Amino acid sequence: MSALKLLSRTKLYWGLIAIFLIGVLGSPVSSKGNNIFLSYGNLLDVLRQVSTTGLIATGMTAVIITGGIDLSVGSLMAICSVVCAMLLTVPGVTPGVVLGVPTVAVVALCLGFIVTRFIFLNLEKSRAGADASRDARLDHARGLVTPAIVGVVLCCLSLWYLLPQVEPKFGVLGVLLVAPCVGLLFGALNGFIIVAGRLQPFIVTLAMMVTALGIARLTAGQNNAVLPVYTGSNATEDFELLRSMVFGVIPMPGLFFLGAILIYGAVLRFTPFGRYVYAIGGNEEAARLSGIAAGRVKIVTYAVSGLLAGIAAVLYVAQYRQGKPDAGAGLELDAIAAVVIGGTSLMGGRGSLTGTFCGVLIFGLLSNILQLHNINSNLQLVLKGMIIIGTVLVQERNAGDLLAYLRLPGAAHKETAAAKRPSQETRSLNLGGNKK
């Protein structure tokens, strides 16, 4: 492999290294002469700050690889933050309980049914062998009765766990169960409408973004623009755990983000589901004709996107000590920008969570550098926009294209040579004329 090809394939990592070096070399120093950017506390703050966007970008990556888009994740995070804050701080039956607890029951019922049926079907396929695996069928007991029983049992267990927490207020595990389930249900609804209605993901998720924002405001109530959460006062003191340091080494939100990247990255890289995601993004019609259940795969990607938005909402409430209906305003655009900076193509079929991780860190380090230098917040937005455009140009164009567009020395010569060089069709016509 030539040095130029190696550089092209690793350009994302070089971009991350370049941003890091700029931060190190241009960092202000403390009164003791220490580099502030390189301080352990500052780097941990960067990881903490990017965790919310990073979780949403993790789910967004698979959606974009399939050729879709999810504009609703910011509003879904807002709903989940309101539900989380209300469950933590308000005892009794509230709009948060009415929305959250039945949602968990429905999700438990559906997941129990789907997962059990999936296990039985794969066992049947492995028993039938490779030649007859596509024709594998389940009998009534394994295809309907047993999965339904498992779903009902899981539904009852979830209600058994959650209902006693309604009156005294919910704890940490309770909100970590309810909020992600709310996001998952709305995300799955996105995917179902896109697949069943054969609609553009942009339109469906845009409509869901507006709808979810309205539901978040209705849930919070007219007089509750912000729902404050004070651990040890109006909420359980254990909730402080979600903003603490794990073994004094890594912030808890960063641990959630890294865990999501590693788990979902392994799923996309090493499982048939991951191969289906890339196949659908490359050519959905060909994937469908080859036997892939493209609709189901797409629904799962949108459901996981909503699930991660729900987890991000709980971490948001823990860090900022509040839930509010506009908590995720504009966050979907930051997530999309981080995914695209990470090398995922908006056309689908190409991308990775390793790239998304680098894209999120580039965004976070850039924001941190600008803040350390006290750059005006409006100017920060301008600089971020320019960097997004420049990074995507580098990701989508090769060096020759960039030279040609910029009209740099050497580009004109290449274009002239290309213009003078006859095309394959012209050469064929000329050869035909000569023969005559």
Side-chain angles (χ1 to χ4, degrees):
M1 183 185 296
S2 67
L4 187 59
K5 286 185 178 180
L6 180 62
L7 182 63
S8 177
R9 291 188 177 184
T10 59
K11 56 191 172 186
L12 177 63
Y13 306 105
W14 288 109
L16 179 59
I17 293 170
I19 289 286
F20 188 83
L21 289 177
I22 289 171
V24 172
L25 298 176
S27 171
V29 295
S30 65
S31 57
K32 297 182 180 180
N34 297 325
N35 189 299
I36 295 178
F37 178 81
L38 273 181
S39 66
Y40 189 62
N42 181 65
L43 295 178
L44 286 183
D45 283 341
V46 172
L47 180 59
R48 184 189 295 274
Q49 291 167 8
V50 303
S51 296
T52 301
T53 305
L55 279 168
I56 292 178
T58 300
M60 185 76 74
T61 302
V63 170
I64 293 179
I65 290 175
T66 62
I69 197 77
D70 191 352
L71 299 178
S72 67
V73 283
S75 295
L76 296 188
M77 178 180 149
I79 290 181
C80 296
S81 75
V82 169
V83 170
C84 176
M86 192 167 283
L87 294 178
L88 286 168
T89 60
V90 185
V93 179
T94 63
V97 171
V98 173
L99 177 61
V101 174
T103 297
V104 176
V106 171
V107 169
L109 179 64
C110 294
L111 282 181
F113 183 89
I114 293 170
V115 172
T116 305
R117 197 175 190 281
F118 176 79
I119 292 172
F120 279 139
L121 186 59
N122 279 273
L123 289 174
E124 181 64 22
K125 286 181 178 180
S126 62
R127 187 189 65 80
D131 295 335
S133 61
R134 288 192 178 184
D135 299 324
R137 295 289 185 272
L138 295 177
D139 55 35
H140 184 70
R142 291 181 301 166
L144 181 62
V145 177
T146 305
I149 292 173
V150 173
V152 170
V153 170
L154 283 180
C155 177
C156 293
L157 287 175
S158 64
L159 292 175
W160 172 79
Y161 175 72
L162 293 176
L163 289 177
Q165 300 184 53
V166 171
E167 197 57 41
K169 293 186 293 192
F170 278 65
V172 180
L173 293 179
V175 294
L176 276 175
L177 176 62
V178 174
C181 282
V182 171
L184 185 149
L185 185 63
F186 278 98
L189 183 60
N190 269 336
F192 178 78
I193 295 172
I194 290 168
V195 172
R198 297 182 181 180
L199 299 175
Q200 288 293 327
F202 181 90
I203 299 299
V204 174
T205 56
L206 179 63
M208 180 61 76
M209 178 178 71
V210 178
T211 304
L213 180 60
I215 295 174
R217 290 176 177 173
L218 289 172
T219 304
Q222 295 293 332
N223 300 321
N224 290 320
V226 175
L227 296 169
V229 177
Y230 304 117
T231 53
S233 176
N234 66 345
T236 175
E237 192 170 351
D238 294 340
F239 195 64
E240 191 72 17
L241 177 68
L242 294 181
R243 65 192 310 270
S244 64
M245 300 286 290
V246 180
F247 303 116
V249 176
I250 183 171
M252 183 65 77
L255 192 64
F256 273 87
F257 171 42
L258 295 176
I261 283 284
L262 291 174
I263 294 171
Y264 208 16
V267 169
L268 291 180
R269 185 175 179 84
F270 300 113
T271 67
F273 172 80
R275 293 193 290 273
Y276 298 162
V277 167
Y278 283 96
I280 292 168
N283 190 322
E284 183 173 346
E285 187 61 26
R288 187 178 288 108
L289 292 175
S290 65
I292 296 173
R296 296 177 187 175
V297 173
K298 290 168 74 173
I299 291 173
V300 171
T301 59
Y302 283 95
V304 173
S305 180
L307 172 72
L308 293 175
I311 296 174
V314 178
L315 298 177
Y316 173 91
V317 174
Q319 291 185 82
Y320 296 98
R321 302 180 187 275
Q322 63 180 7
K324 55 181 182 176
D326 60 346
L331 201 57
E332 63 279 349
L333 301 181
D334 290 343
I336 293 170
V339 172
V340 174
I341 286 174
T344 300
S345 173
L346 286 172
M347 301 301 293
R350 178 167 62 86
S352 70
L353 280 174
T354 304
T356 296
F357 179 70
C358 291
V360 170
L361 287 184
I362 288 173
F363 230 66
L365 292 173
L366 175 62
S367 298
N368 183 253
I369 292 169
L370 296 176
Q371 290 169 6
L372 288 177
H373 288 277
N374 295 318
I375 303 297
N376 181 277
S377 59
N378 296 321
L379 182 57
Q380 288 187 31
L381 296 175
V382 174
L383 292 174
K384 285 181 181 179
M386 294 172 62
I387 288 174
I388 289 171
I389 292 174
T391 306
V392 174
L393 272 175
V394 172
Q395 291 291 344
E396 299 293 335
R397 302 283 185 179
N398 59 34
D401 291 331
L402 287 174
L403 286 173
Y405 273 97
L406 295 172
R407 296 294 190 270
L408 293 179
H413 174 71
K414 289 181 180 179
E415 286 190 342
T416 304
K420 290 182 178 179
R421 189 183 304 119
S423 66
Q424 181 67 33
E425 184 180 355
T426 305
R427 287 199 299 269
S428 300
L429 290 173
N430 290 337
L431 288 172
N434 291 336
K435 287 179 180 178
K436 291 180 180 179

